[in-house]
Amino acid sequence: MAGDLQLWERIRSGDPEAFGDLYERHARAVQSYCLWRSADLQAAEDATATVFLEAWRKRGRLTLSSDSAAPLLLGIANNVVRRQWRSERRHRDALERVRNAGQIPNDPEAEAIARLDAMQQLREGGEAIRRLPRREREVLALLAWSDLSYAEIAEALGLPIGTVRSRLARARTRLGNAFPDPARPAEEAL
Amino acid sequence: MNEPKPDLSPLLPDNATLKERRAALVESVSPGGPDPQAASAWRRRGPRLALGAVLGLAVVAVALIVSAGGDNAPAAFAVEPQEGGGVRIEVYSLEDAPGLERALAQAGIRSQVTWLPAGMLCREPHYSPSIVHLPGGGSLGGFEMGGPGDALTISVGSTRRWRERFGEHMRGEISDREYYRSIANFNLDPEAFRPDQSVVISGSPVPYGGDPEGGSAAKVGVAEGPVEPCVPVSAPARSIGSIGLPQSAGGGTEGAPGGDEAPPQTPTVAESSDVPAEAPPAPGQFLYTKTKVVQLQGWLPNGPGTGSKSNPRHFTAHVPGNYPNAPAALVPTVKEVWTDPDGKTRVRETLGQVDFFSGTDQKRWENAGSPPPFEYDPKDHDVRRNGSGRLVKEFASRSWRGPRVFSNVSKLSQLPTAPEALRLAIEHPRGGSSPVDPSPANSHRGGVTAERLMEILSEPITSAALRAAALNALAEIPGIGLKRGVADVAGRRGDAITWIRERGFGHELIFDPRTSKVLAQAEMIFGEPAASEYGVAPGTVFRESAFLRSGVVDSMRETAAEAGGGPVATASTDRRK
């Protein structure tokens, strides 16, 4: 399977199918992040579609610095969530169409209940983080809800890596160390 | 994180959905316009079986099932001029398809008519589905017909004349006999068709009267643009025999039970064995419903409170209305209600996370000891925490209808299940006259009609056919809107009826277009001036109820899922408080 770098080259030359591959590869990660940020399913679905349409629109200006498009897409996601509902008019139709593609589940009740549980957990799990100041929240959210490294978070947010570290440190102090990071022991010593 | 991450997979698109969205996305960025392949992938499920499809159809006698031969049917169809202009075509069989196409063309309607062998269908999609908007409101789209009855009759003529005739009959000005002799199952108004629109009819024999090919059933659609020839494919088992309902209830409300399972001469959908049980609970049984309610509530910590003196309630649901400045929180509650045939209920409310809009208010509320937002009187209410630490309030109550709680079921089953007939029937339950076209939702009459239709949709026990008719009749009222692909508070997608009322407030009713089942009802602020007055974004929901589960159970401790071995078996009727 082609890497993201190769895919991105094809996307830059205007290949819609390569764009489709990129979508299939990263849509769930982007939607997870948007869900976490907005705690709203419809908003997250709309944001996800917007992220990809933005990536397509700006493809000429954007470059990948590694073989993963995740930092780029999550960086866009971060901005999209921040200004959700202000999507451009010309995106509306496409957005509408993407939103409507996808079936009503076969077993609406069982699935609805599973989704409700997940939403509930999502809301509760993120409660403390959502009350952080925005800059700290964004850094912490990317750390908690994507598999990005610190360097990739820095790339996604367009920040120096030192700033990412200091914001994380502040966020953790504020949360009373409620969010240690067992997954990244090497980075614990900030 | 010190807590495990929640599993978000139920909230993420599954593989099939991902593929479809990919296709839609690729299509939207492809040069040279939509790729027809990709387009059809999403359009297929779009407008075709959707609401609005049969608007304007006023079919009382149900069906097209004809004996294909027979003494009185030497010709496949007969054309006669009708009073007031146009023609009426009595179709005994679709076997002479080219002849019927010519007859329709002469009357001003382009068509494709196909007669298929038993058990076959046209491969779909073979045309782009469309909707004909009728003068005076309403529309005509696709539907399916089947079931014992007389010949299919099609009239071609003006919508106004058609509706007047219908009204005359409803008012008793013309006899049943005259009416049925003169009116057709549906009307095609050449004036209402755009030049690129045409009618697509396909039919095939179905078992009737002991003969495996003794009758026939038909599918009618409206196309825009070119219509590809019909490519016959095998129908899925029973799809001909059970057309109409419940599968296509959102689009075809005229379907009577047809096919091998329905007894001959069964005239109405309500008696169909295809429709899930729609009876009230028997003595000793209970109707169980589970609803998720998310409500905007205001916290009034310094007010006198309401309810019991010892435990006053300091929350109010009258936001934004009466208390625009009260700190507002979203209060999610899962409400389970068991109702017995006498109207006694047991209610269990499980409180979710109270979520204030502002972090400061949240802190204040938590510092005040997180007082619960519900009314609490130790005499009547049992409040405890469940295994997950949630507050659960249980109490005995009575349905506001008391012992008459299910008395409407039989009345409802007598209502017509054709949209226009339903509207006229509820507009004058005891006869009387009224305009034939629906009145706008913002007029008194139209508003009352819309209210009544919504009441029908909120009844605990209704047939799929009646719900479909009510939805279609609602959509026909000028001023009522339809949105597609709307998610409810439980994340289910459906279509939504919207009714914007005074000052930007309104209702949204989200339903599953395949079953006409109401998924959720929301009260919301749609726009100005309410949005500015309360400082909220247009589209803000302040109360939403999502109907999760319902069914008849044998004990007040049992939920529908436990009773029937799965939600499909027991939750089929529907929902509601």
Side-chain angles (χ1 to χ4, degrees):
Chain A
M1 196 197 281
D4 281 3
L5 272 174
Q6 236 178 312
L7 218 47
W8 190 250
E9 275 318 303
R10 283 170 52 203
I11 291 168
R12 293 193 69 170
S13 67
D15 178 350
E17 285 305 323
F19 178 60
D21 290 348
L22 189 81
Y23 175 80
E24 270 195 72
R25 201 172 288 181
H26 294 290
R28 287 200 181 103
V30 171
Q31 187 162 323
S32 295
Y33 177 71
C34 296
L35 261 172
W36 194 86
R37 287 292 305 277
S38 62
D40 177 326
L41 186 59
Q42 185 149 355
E45 290 190 347
D46 290 350
T48 305
T50 306
V51 167
F52 283 90
L53 290 166
E54 289 257 307
W56 175 261
R57 194 165 59 89
K58 294 182 179 163
R59 64 190 185 281
R61 277 174 282 153
L62 299 173
T63 49
L64 295 197
S65 57
S66 71
D67 198 23
S68 168
L72 181 136
L73 292 169
L74 291 166
I76 298 175
N78 188 55
N79 292 328
V80 167
V81 173
R82 202 191 286 167
R83 56 178 168 76
Q84 185 126 39
W85 305 121
R86 293 196 188 166
S87 59
E88 289 170 49
R89 192 151 265 259
R90 61 185 148 140
H91 279 185
R92 277 280 161 76
D93 289 349
L95 201 61
E96 191 72 11
R97 200 173 306 156
V98 176
R99 181 203 279 184
N100 288 340
Q103 178 59 290
I104 296 168
N106 290 329
D107 181 0
E109 277 131 9
E111 291 191 20
I113 288 165
R115 276 197 300 277
L116 276 177
D117 289 347
M119 280 315 282
Q120 189 74 36
Q121 284 183 36
L122 186 66
R123 292 210 172 98
E124 289 163 19
E127 207 49 40
I129 296 182
R130 268 193 288 276
R131 289 186 207 149
L132 289 170
R134 196 195 78 209
R135 293 172 170 189
E136 293 164 27
R137 185 173 64 224
E138 288 173 357
V139 175
L140 203 64
L142 279 174
L143 185 70
W145 282 94
S146 70
D147 294 324
L148 300 192
S149 67
Y150 284 20
E152 286 175 319
I153 294 175
E155 190 192 329
L157 298 177
L159 295 171
I161 190 162
T163 309
V164 170
R165 287 174 191 281
S166 59
R167 284 186 188 173
L168 273 175
R170 274 204 301 278
R172 288 199 169 127
T173 311
R174 223 183 276 273
L175 292 172
N177 273 327
F179 291 86
D181 188 5
R184 293 178 177 81
E187 310 230 30
E188 259 314 275
L190 290 175
Chain B
M1 314 247 314
N2 55 351
E3 287 178 44
K5 280 193 211 176
D7 175 16
L8 296 190
S9 51
L11 301 170
L12 298 175
D14 60 21
N15 283 333
T17 305
L18 204 61
K19 293 262 185 235
E20 285 187 54
R21 291 192 177 154
R22 173 207 167 117
L25 202 61
V26 167
E27 179 208 349
S28 71
V29 302
S30 293
D35 159 22
Q37 281 312 100
S40 63
W42 61 267
R43 201 185 293 141
R44 195 175 315 160
R45 148 166 66 245
R48 206 168 49 77
L49 284 182
L51 183 92
V54 287
L55 301 188
L57 279 181
V59 186
V60 176
V62 200
L64 156 70
I65 281 229
V66 250
S67 89
D71 300 336
N72 302 324
F77 61 90
V79 183
E80 57 183 84
Q82 64 183 354
E83 188 196 333
V87 295
R88 178 173 184 275
I89 305 176
E90 207 159 319
V91 184
Y92 310 107
S93 154
L94 293 171
E95 276 170 276
D96 181 11
L100 185 57
E101 283 176 7
R102 280 194 299 276
L104 284 166
Q106 264 170 17
I109 297 290
R110 292 196 301 138
S111 66
Q112 182 201 68
V113 181
T114 312
W115 179 245
L116 293 158
M120 302 295 270
L121 291 172
C122 295
R123 189 172 70 203
E124 299 209 32
H126 65 119
Y127 59 90
S128 292
S130 185
I131 287 176
V132 174
H133 294 282
L134 302 176
S139 56
L140 171 75
F143 57 96
E144 293 162 312
M145 305 181 85
D150 296 325
L152 170 74
T153 48
I154 307 170
S155 66
V156 182
S158 90
T159 303
R160 174 147 292 279
R161 176 66 201 127
W162 157 262
R163 287 192 169 153
E164 278 165 4
R165 197 78 180 150
F166 190 79
E168 286 161 12
H169 176 243
M170 288 303 296
R171 295 192 294 272
E173 292 164 15
I174 53 172
S175 70
D176 282 3
R177 194 158 158 263
E178 189 184 353
Y179 174 73
Y180 290 122
R181 200 174 49 73
S182 67
I183 202 147
N185 291 128
F186 61 97
N187 182 63
L188 303 171
D189 183 348
E191 302 274 293
F193 276 69
R194 294 198 310 258
D196 65 330
Q197 287 180 317
S198 59
V199 170
V200 181
I201 304 174
S202 61
S204 60
V206 294
Y208 180 62
D211 179 348
E213 299 197 358
S216 60
K219 200 168 166 176
V220 181
V222 174
E224 62 183 63
V227 178
E228 301 294 325
C230 170
V231 178
V233 292
S234 295
R238 296 188 66 252
S239 87
I240 293 280
S242 62
I243 58 168
L245 292 164
Q247 293 93 320
S248 61
T253 55
E254 321 320 322
D260 40 10
E261 305 226 330
Q265 310 305 329
T266 303
T268 65
V269 172
E271 294 171 36
S272 166
S273 57
D274 283 322
V275 179
E278 284 153 355
Q285 290 189 315
F286 307 89
L287 179 72
Y288 168 81
T289 58
K290 181 173 182 176
T291 310
K292 162 114 174 179
V293 183
V294 177
Q295 169 140 33
L296 189 63
Q297 297 204 16
W299 185 37
L300 304 164
N302 302 320
T306 56
S308 84
K309 284 213 169 59
S310 57
N311 295 279
R313 176 189 185 210
H314 287 288
F315 276 80
T316 173
H318 295 285
V319 286
N322 297 350
Y323 301 95
N325 297 320
L330 281 175
V331 178
T333 305
V334 172
K335 187 170 183 178
E336 293 165 280
V337 181
W338 291 258
T339 308
D340 82 4
D342 290 336
K344 286 206 248 341
T345 63
R346 185 171 79 93
V347 182
R348 178 160 74 197
E349 294 174 354
T350 307
L351 181 66
Q353 177 93 11
V354 177
D355 191 3
F356 278 86
F357 283 7
S358 108
T360 321
D361 292 331
Q362 186 89 26
K363 269 259 135 35
R364 271 178 67 211
W365 176 72
E366 282 166 12
N367 291 338
S370 306
F374 48 69
E375 187 187 330
Y376 172 54
D377 187 335
K379 286 205 308 287
D380 300 327
H381 304 140
D382 172 25
V383 175
R384 57 190 162 74
R385 288 193 186 272
N386 67 9
S388 345
R390 298 253 154 257
L391 277 177
V392 179
K393 169 179 162 182
E394 297 202 35
F395 55 98
S397 182
R398 290 193 68 77
S399 158
W400 60 273
R401 281 179 169 153
R404 286 150 34 88
V405 58
F406 299 117
S407 64
N408 258 355
V409 174
S410 62
K411 279 185 222 153
L412 290 168
S413 70
Q414 288 157 21
L415 286 171
T417 55
E420 184 153 351
L422 176 62
R423 177 175 62 78
L424 291 168
I426 63 172
E427 278 182 355
H428 18 246
R430 284 171 296 278
S433 67
S434 75
V436 172
D437 290 338
S439 309
N442 63 4
S443 69
H444 176 71
R445 171 181 286 278
V448 169
T449 305
E451 292 274 9
R452 287 193 184 151
L453 290 167
M454 285 197 157
E455 276 167 24
I456 290 175
L457 288 165
S458 66
E459 286 286 342
I461 295 166
T462 47
S463 70
L466 182 62
R467 292 195 300 270
L471 285 167
N472 280 279
L474 259 174
E476 190 174 354
I477 295 174
I480 297 281
L482 175 65
K483 286 200 279 189
R484 299 208 188 278
V486 176
D488 75 358
V489 70
R492 298 172 294 189
R493 285 211 180 269
D495 292 346
I497 292 270
T498 56
W499 182 12
I500 303 174
R501 307 188 72 175
E502 64 286 350
R503 301 177 53 250
F505 286 96
H507 305 287
E508 190 168 88
L509 200 143
I510 305 171
F511 63 97
D512 182 339
R514 298 168 312 162
T515 59
S516 300
K517 198 164 138 171
V518 176
L519 301 174
Q521 272 178 327
E523 288 166 53
M524 51 199 292
I525 291 177
F526 281 98
E528 302 306 340
S532 303
E533 273 171 35
Y534 299 111
V536 299
T540 297
V541 175
F542 53 93
R543 176 167 41 239
E544 177 164 352
S545 303
F547 309 109
L548 297 178
R549 204 184 271 287
S550 79
V552 172
V553 296
D554 294 329
S555 131
M556 276 228 181
R557 299 281 146 189
E558 189 181 24
T559 64
E562 293 155 6
V568 176
T570 54
S572 46
T573 314
D574 52 340
R575 23 72 275 236
R576 217 127 295 146
K577 65 171 200 283

PDB file of all heavy atoms in Angstrom, chain B residues 15-40:
ATOM      1  N   ASN B  15     -17.477   0.327   8.022  1.00  0.00           N
ATOM      2  CA  ASN B  15     -16.782   0.268   6.738  1.00  0.00           C
ATOM      3  C   ASN B  15     -17.666   0.662   5.562  1.00  0.00           C
ATOM      4  O   ASN B  15     -17.247   1.394   4.681  1.00  0.00           O
ATOM      5  CB  ASN B  15     -16.216  -1.137   6.515  1.00  0.00           C
ATOM      6  CG  ASN B  15     -14.957  -1.336   7.335  1.00  0.00           C
ATOM      7  OD1 ASN B  15     -14.252  -0.370   7.637  1.00  0.00           O
ATOM      8  ND2 ASN B  15     -14.691  -2.580   7.709  1.00  0.00           N
ATOM      9  N   ALA B  16     -18.909   0.181   5.600  1.00  0.00           N
ATOM     10  CA  ALA B  16     -19.796   0.479   4.468  1.00  0.00           C
ATOM     11  C   ALA B  16     -20.051   1.978   4.387  1.00  0.00           C
ATOM     12  O   ALA B  16     -20.009   2.582   3.313  1.00  0.00           O
ATOM     13  CB  ALA B  16     -21.106  -0.278   4.630  1.00  0.00           C
ATOM     14  N   THR B  17     -20.316   2.581   5.539  1.00  0.00           N
ATOM     15  CA  THR B  17     -20.579   4.013   5.570  1.00  0.00           C
ATOM     16  C   THR B  17     -19.350   4.789   5.098  1.00  0.00           C
ATOM     17  O   THR B  17     -19.455   5.754   4.336  1.00  0.00           O
ATOM     18  CB  THR B  17     -20.953   4.434   6.997  1.00  0.00           C
ATOM     19  OG1 THR B  17     -22.036   3.630   7.425  1.00  0.00           O
ATOM     20  CG2 THR B  17     -21.342   5.893   7.054  1.00  0.00           C
ATOM     21  N   LEU B  18     -18.189   4.329   5.555  1.00  0.00           N
ATOM     22  CA  LEU B  18     -16.945   4.987   5.170  1.00  0.00           C
ATOM     23  C   LEU B  18     -16.796   4.977   3.648  1.00  0.00           C
ATOM     24  O   LEU B  18     -16.453   5.976   3.032  1.00  0.00           O
ATOM     25  CB  LEU B  18     -15.785   4.247   5.829  1.00  0.00           C
ATOM     26  CG  LEU B  18     -14.496   5.020   6.059  1.00  0.00           C
ATOM     27  CD1 LEU B  18     -14.735   6.207   6.971  1.00  0.00           C
ATOM     28  CD2 LEU B  18     -13.444   4.104   6.680  1.00  0.00           C
ATOM     29  N   LYS B  19     -17.099   3.831   3.046  1.00  0.00           N
ATOM     30  CA  LYS B  19     -16.985   3.712   1.594  1.00  0.00           C
ATOM     31  C   LYS B  19     -17.953   4.668   0.899  1.00  0.00           C
ATOM     32  O   LYS B  19     -17.606   5.313  -0.079  1.00  0.00           O
ATOM     33  CB  LYS B  19     -17.303   2.276   1.141  1.00  0.00           C
ATOM     34  CG  LYS B  19     -16.283   1.252   1.603  1.00  0.00           C
ATOM     35  CD  LYS B  19     -15.281   0.941   0.509  1.00  0.00           C
ATOM     36  CE  LYS B  19     -14.340  -0.178   0.935  1.00  0.00           C
ATOM     37  NZ  LYS B  19     -12.919   0.171   0.854  1.00  0.00           N
ATOM     38  N   GLU B  20     -19.152   4.728   1.420  1.00  0.00           N
ATOM     39  CA  GLU B  20     -20.135   5.600   0.783  1.00  0.00           C
ATOM     40  C   GLU B  20     -19.729   7.060   0.900  1.00  0.00           C
ATOM     41  O   GLU B  20     -19.881   7.845  -0.030  1.00  0.00           O
ATOM     42  CB  GLU B  20     -21.508   5.409   1.429  1.00  0.00           C
ATOM     43  CG  GLU B  20     -22.175   4.134   1.010  1.00  0.00           C
ATOM     44  CD  GLU B  20     -23.588   4.075   1.539  1.00  0.00           C
ATOM     45  OE1 GLU B  20     -24.335   5.033   1.278  1.00  0.00           O
ATOM     46  OE2 GLU B  20     -23.936   3.097   2.213  1.00  0.00           O
ATOM     47  N   ARG B  21     -19.243   7.405   2.077  1.00  0.00           N
ATOM     48  CA  ARG B  21     -18.843   8.799   2.261  1.00  0.00           C
ATOM     49  C   ARG B  21     -17.636   9.118   1.416  1.00  0.00           C
ATOM     50  O   ARG B  21     -17.498  10.212   0.885  1.00  0.00           O
ATOM     51  CB  ARG B  21     -18.560   9.059   3.737  1.00  0.00           C
ATOM     52  CG  ARG B  21     -19.823   9.003   4.538  1.00  0.00           C
ATOM     53  CD  ARG B  21     -19.649   9.536   5.925  1.00  0.00           C
ATOM     54  NE  ARG B  21     -20.953   9.484   6.576  1.00  0.00           N
ATOM     55  CZ  ARG B  21     -21.130   9.386   7.873  1.00  0.00           C
ATOM     56  NH1 ARG B  21     -20.098   9.374   8.691  1.00  0.00           N
ATOM     57  NH2 ARG B  21     -22.341   9.347   8.371  1.00  0.00           N
ATOM     58  N   ARG B  22     -16.765   8.139   1.301  1.00  0.00           N
ATOM     59  CA  ARG B  22     -15.617   8.337   0.432  1.00  0.00           C
ATOM     60  C   ARG B  22     -16.100   8.653  -0.975  1.00  0.00           C
ATOM     61  O   ARG B  22     -15.637   9.590  -1.620  1.00  0.00           O
ATOM     62  CB  ARG B  22     -14.752   7.066   0.421  1.00  0.00           C
ATOM     63  CG  ARG B  22     -13.629   7.122  -0.590  1.00  0.00           C
ATOM     64  CD  ARG B  22     -13.219   5.737  -1.076  1.00  0.00           C
ATOM     65  NE  ARG B  22     -12.377   5.893  -2.261  1.00  0.00           N
ATOM     66  CZ  ARG B  22     -11.118   5.502  -2.313  1.00  0.00           C
ATOM     67  NH1 ARG B  22     -10.561   4.935  -1.279  1.00  0.00           N
ATOM     68  NH2 ARG B  22     -10.427   5.702  -3.419  1.00  0.00           N
ATOM     69  N   ALA B  23     -17.059   7.838  -1.443  1.00  0.00           N
ATOM     70  CA  ALA B  23     -17.557   8.033  -2.804  1.00  0.00           C
ATOM     71  C   ALA B  23     -18.151   9.432  -2.967  1.00  0.00           C
ATOM     72  O   ALA B  23     -17.911  10.114  -3.958  1.00  0.00           O
ATOM     73  CB  ALA B  23     -18.590   6.965  -3.127  1.00  0.00           C
ATOM     74  N   ALA B  24     -18.922   9.839  -1.965  1.00  0.00           N
ATOM     75  CA  ALA B  24     -19.552  11.159  -2.052  1.00  0.00           C
ATOM     76  C   ALA B  24     -18.495  12.256  -2.047  1.00  0.00           C
ATOM     77  O   ALA B  24     -18.603  13.257  -2.762  1.00  0.00           O
ATOM     78  CB  ALA B  24     -20.530  11.346  -0.894  1.00  0.00           C
ATOM     79  N   LEU B  25     -17.465  12.062  -1.245  1.00  0.00           N
ATOM     80  CA  LEU B  25     -16.401  13.052  -1.136  1.00  0.00           C
ATOM     81  C   LEU B  25     -15.609  13.128  -2.439  1.00  0.00           C
ATOM     82  O   LEU B  25     -15.345  14.204  -2.965  1.00  0.00           O
ATOM     83  CB  LEU B  25     -15.484  12.655   0.025  1.00  0.00           C
ATOM     84  CG  LEU B  25     -14.627  13.724   0.663  1.00  0.00           C
ATOM     85  CD1 LEU B  25     -15.502  14.819   1.252  1.00  0.00           C
ATOM     86  CD2 LEU B  25     -13.763  13.108   1.762  1.00  0.00           C
ATOM     87  N   VAL B  26     -15.264  11.951  -2.958  1.00  0.00           N
ATOM     88  CA  VAL B  26     -14.507  11.911  -4.211  1.00  0.00           C
ATOM     89  C   VAL B  26     -15.321  12.573  -5.310  1.00  0.00           C
ATOM     90  O   VAL B  26     -14.813  13.360  -6.099  1.00  0.00           O
ATOM     91  CB  VAL B  26     -14.152  10.450  -4.579  1.00  0.00           C
ATOM     92  CG1 VAL B  26     -13.655  10.355  -6.006  1.00  0.00           C
ATOM     93  CG2 VAL B  26     -13.102   9.904  -3.608  1.00  0.00           C
ATOM     94  N   GLU B  27     -16.598  12.286  -5.299  1.00  0.00           N
ATOM     95  CA  GLU B  27     -17.464  12.877  -6.321  1.00  0.00           C
ATOM     96  C   GLU B  27     -17.430  14.391  -6.235  1.00  0.00           C
ATOM     97  O   GLU B  27     -17.359  15.088  -7.233  1.00  0.00           O
ATOM     98  CB  GLU B  27     -18.893  12.370  -6.128  1.00  0.00           C
ATOM     99  CG  GLU B  27     -19.862  12.948  -7.134  1.00  0.00           C
ATOM    100  CD  GLU B  27     -21.270  13.027  -6.593  1.00  0.00           C
ATOM    101  OE1 GLU B  27     -21.526  12.436  -5.527  1.00  0.00           O
ATOM    102  OE2 GLU B  27     -22.104  13.684  -7.238  1.00  0.00           O
ATOM    103  N   SER B  28     -17.466  14.891  -5.004  1.00  0.00           N
ATOM    104  CA  SER B  28     -17.595  16.341  -4.865  1.00  0.00           C
ATOM    105  C   SER B  28     -16.316  17.060  -5.265  1.00  0.00           C
ATOM    106  O   SER B  28     -16.343  18.253  -5.503  1.00  0.00           O
ATOM    107  CB  SER B  28     -18.015  16.693  -3.435  1.00  0.00           C
ATOM    108  OG  SER B  28     -16.951  16.458  -2.558  1.00  0.00           O
ATOM    109  N   VAL B  29     -15.176  16.350  -5.323  1.00  0.00           N
ATOM    110  CA  VAL B  29     -13.959  17.038  -5.743  1.00  0.00           C
ATOM    111  C   VAL B  29     -13.540  16.651  -7.162  1.00  0.00           C
ATOM    112  O   VAL B  29     -12.531  17.136  -7.658  1.00  0.00           O
ATOM    113  CB  VAL B  29     -12.786  16.766  -4.768  1.00  0.00           C
ATOM    114  CG1 VAL B  29     -13.152  17.212  -3.365  1.00  0.00           C
ATOM    115  CG2 VAL B  29     -12.367  15.309  -4.776  1.00  0.00           C
ATOM    116  N   SER B  30     -14.287  15.752  -7.771  1.00  0.00           N
ATOM    117  CA  SER B  30     -13.898  15.323  -9.103  1.00  0.00           C
ATOM    118  C   SER B  30     -14.195  16.394 -10.121  1.00  0.00           C
ATOM    119  O   SER B  30     -15.247  17.038 -10.063  1.00  0.00           O
ATOM    120  CB  SER B  30     -14.637  14.041  -9.487  1.00  0.00           C
ATOM    121  OG  SER B  30     -14.202  12.991  -8.673  1.00  0.00           O
ATOM    122  N   PRO B  31     -13.271  16.592 -11.066  1.00  0.00           N
ATOM    123  CA  PRO B  31     -13.543  17.574 -12.110  1.00  0.00           C
ATOM    124  C   PRO B  31     -14.670  17.086 -13.006  1.00  0.00           C
ATOM    125  O   PRO B  31     -14.908  15.885 -13.101  1.00  0.00           O
ATOM    126  CB  PRO B  31     -12.216  17.643 -12.873  1.00  0.00           C
ATOM    127  CG  PRO B  31     -11.495  16.370 -12.560  1.00  0.00           C
ATOM    128  CD  PRO B  31     -11.983  15.920 -11.212  1.00  0.00           C
ATOM    129  N   GLY B  32     -15.346  18.009 -13.629  1.00  0.00           N
ATOM    130  CA  GLY B  32     -16.364  17.635 -14.606  1.00  0.00           C
ATOM    131  C   GLY B  32     -17.631  17.111 -13.976  1.00  0.00           C
ATOM    132  O   GLY B  32     -18.334  16.313 -14.557  1.00  0.00           O
ATOM    133  N   GLY B  33     -17.915  17.549 -12.759  1.00  0.00           N
ATOM    134  CA  GLY B  33     -19.210  17.254 -12.172  1.00  0.00           C
ATOM    135  C   GLY B  33     -19.288  15.861 -11.600  1.00  0.00           C
ATOM    136  O   GLY B  33     -18.338  15.096 -11.651  1.00  0.00           O
ATOM    137  N   PRO B  34     -20.449  15.581 -11.071  1.00  0.00           N
ATOM    138  CA  PRO B  34     -20.637  14.337 -10.353  1.00  0.00           C
ATOM    139  C   PRO B  34     -20.374  13.117 -11.224  1.00  0.00           C
ATOM    140  O   PRO B  34     -20.750  13.078 -12.391  1.00  0.00           O
ATOM    141  CB  PRO B  34     -22.109  14.381  -9.942  1.00  0.00           C
ATOM    142  CG  PRO B  34     -22.493  15.807 -10.004  1.00  0.00           C
ATOM    143  CD  PRO B  34     -21.638  16.426 -11.067  1.00  0.00           C
ATOM    144  N   ASP B  35     -19.735  12.175 -10.641  1.00  0.00           N
ATOM    145  CA  ASP B  35     -19.529  10.892 -11.281  1.00  0.00           C
ATOM    146  C   ASP B  35     -20.799  10.084 -11.075  1.00  0.00           C
ATOM    147  O   ASP B  35     -21.230   9.891  -9.951  1.00  0.00           O
ATOM    148  CB  ASP B  35     -18.302  10.248 -10.602  1.00  0.00           C
ATOM    149  CG  ASP B  35     -18.270   8.744 -10.802  1.00  0.00           C
ATOM    150  OD1 ASP B  35     -18.908   8.265 -11.752  1.00  0.00           O
ATOM    151  OD2 ASP B  35     -17.605   8.075 -10.009  1.00  0.00           O
ATOM    152  N   PRO B  36     -21.422   9.679 -12.185  1.00  0.00           N
ATOM    153  CA  PRO B  36     -22.749   9.061 -12.046  1.00  0.00           C
ATOM    154  C   PRO B  36     -22.744   7.830 -11.148  1.00  0.00           C
ATOM    155  O   PRO B  36     -23.676   7.593 -10.401  1.00  0.00           O
ATOM    156  CB  PRO B  36     -23.132   8.699 -13.477  1.00  0.00           C
ATOM    157  CG  PRO B  36     -21.918   8.925 -14.327  1.00  0.00           C
ATOM    158  CD  PRO B  36     -20.993   9.807 -13.570  1.00  0.00           C
ATOM    159  N   GLN B  37     -21.673   7.053 -11.193  1.00  0.00           N
ATOM    160  CA  GLN B  37     -21.600   5.878 -10.328  1.00  0.00           C
ATOM    161  C   GLN B  37     -21.690   6.283  -8.866  1.00  0.00           C
ATOM    162  O   GLN B  37     -22.478   5.774  -8.099  1.00  0.00           O
ATOM    163  CB  GLN B  37     -20.261   5.140 -10.538  1.00  0.00           C
ATOM    164  CG  GLN B  37     -20.216   4.276 -11.766  1.00  0.00           C
ATOM    165  CD  GLN B  37     -21.423   3.380 -11.910  1.00  0.00           C
ATOM    166  OE1 GLN B  37     -22.325   3.699 -12.659  1.00  0.00           O
ATOM    167  NE2 GLN B  37     -21.476   2.294 -11.192  1.00  0.00           N
ATOM    168  N   ALA B  38     -20.819   7.228  -8.517  1.00  0.00           N
ATOM    169  CA  ALA B  38     -20.764   7.650  -7.122  1.00  0.00           C
ATOM    170  C   ALA B  38     -22.067   8.303  -6.703  1.00  0.00           C
ATOM    171  O   ALA B  38     -22.559   8.088  -5.616  1.00  0.00           O
ATOM    172  CB  ALA B  38     -19.608   8.619  -6.921  1.00  0.00           C
ATOM    173  N   ALA B  39     -22.624   9.069  -7.636  1.00  0.00           N
ATOM    174  CA  ALA B  39     -23.845   9.777  -7.288  1.00  0.00           C
ATOM    175  C   ALA B  39     -24.957   8.799  -6.957  1.00  0.00           C
ATOM    176  O   ALA B  39     -25.667   8.965  -5.981  1.00  0.00           O
ATOM    177  CB  ALA B  39     -24.259  10.676  -8.441  1.00  0.00           C
ATOM    178  N   SER B  40     -25.042   7.757  -7.777  1.00  0.00           N
ATOM    179  CA  SER B  40     -26.169   6.863  -7.557  1.00  0.00           C
ATOM    180  C   SER B  40     -26.039   6.152  -6.221  1.00  0.00           C
ATOM    181  O   SER B  40     -27.018   5.776  -5.606  1.00  0.00           O
ATOM    182  CB  SER B  40     -26.261   5.848  -8.695  1.00  0.00           C
ATOM    183  OG  SER B  40     -25.093   5.058  -8.702  1.00  0.00           O
TER     184      SER B  40
END
